[in-house]
Amino acid sequence: GRASLLHVARQVAGELYADAERLQLDFQERLQLDSHASEKLKTAAVREMIKFYTAWHAAEPGKGYDAKAAEWREKLDKSSE
């Protein structure tokens, strides 16, 4: 019924977020190693990580994604000091 369809939709969404997280983290790692990447690009990428984890937290509250967003926010704050 409707409840099982909602469960499947949430499961698929969770898997999509997990796949996107792997891609985002891989991009972050490569970007940090790229000596040609501008600080502006690196900062924009960190902001995208914050948005990503904030959205994931909204979709799946209580799973620690807000804490991950806070970790990236801290990195952003440190880089702008």
Side-chain angles (χ1 to χ4, degrees), residues 38-67:
S38 70
E39 286 306 311
K40 185 176 180 179
L41 177 60
K42 290 178 182 181
T43 298
V46 170
R47 284 195 175 107
E48 288 303 313
M49 291 301 295
I50 295 166
K51 288 180 195 175
F52 172 74
Y53 282 119
T54 300
W56 198 355
H57 171 69
E60 297 184 53
K63 294 190 175 181
Y65 303 117
D66 55 338

Side-chain angles (χ1 to χ4, degrees), residues 9-63:
R10 285 185 178 147
Q11 185 175 358
V12 169
E15 290 170 9
L16 291 174
Y17 273 110
D19 288 344
E21 180 184 39
R22 281 189 291 276
L23 293 172
Q24 291 265 24
L25 292 173
D26 182 58
F27 177 72
Q28 284 292 333
E29 185 178 328
R30 290 170 188 255
L31 189 60
Q32 295 307 315
L33 296 173
D34 185 348
S35 60
H36 300 292
S38 70
E39 286 306 311
K40 185 176 180 179
L41 177 60
K42 290 178 182 181
T43 298
V46 170
R47 284 195 175 107
E48 288 303 313
M49 291 301 295
I50 295 166
K51 288 180 195 175
F52 172 74
Y53 282 119
T54 300
W56 198 355
H57 171 69
E60 297 184 53
K63 294 190 175 181

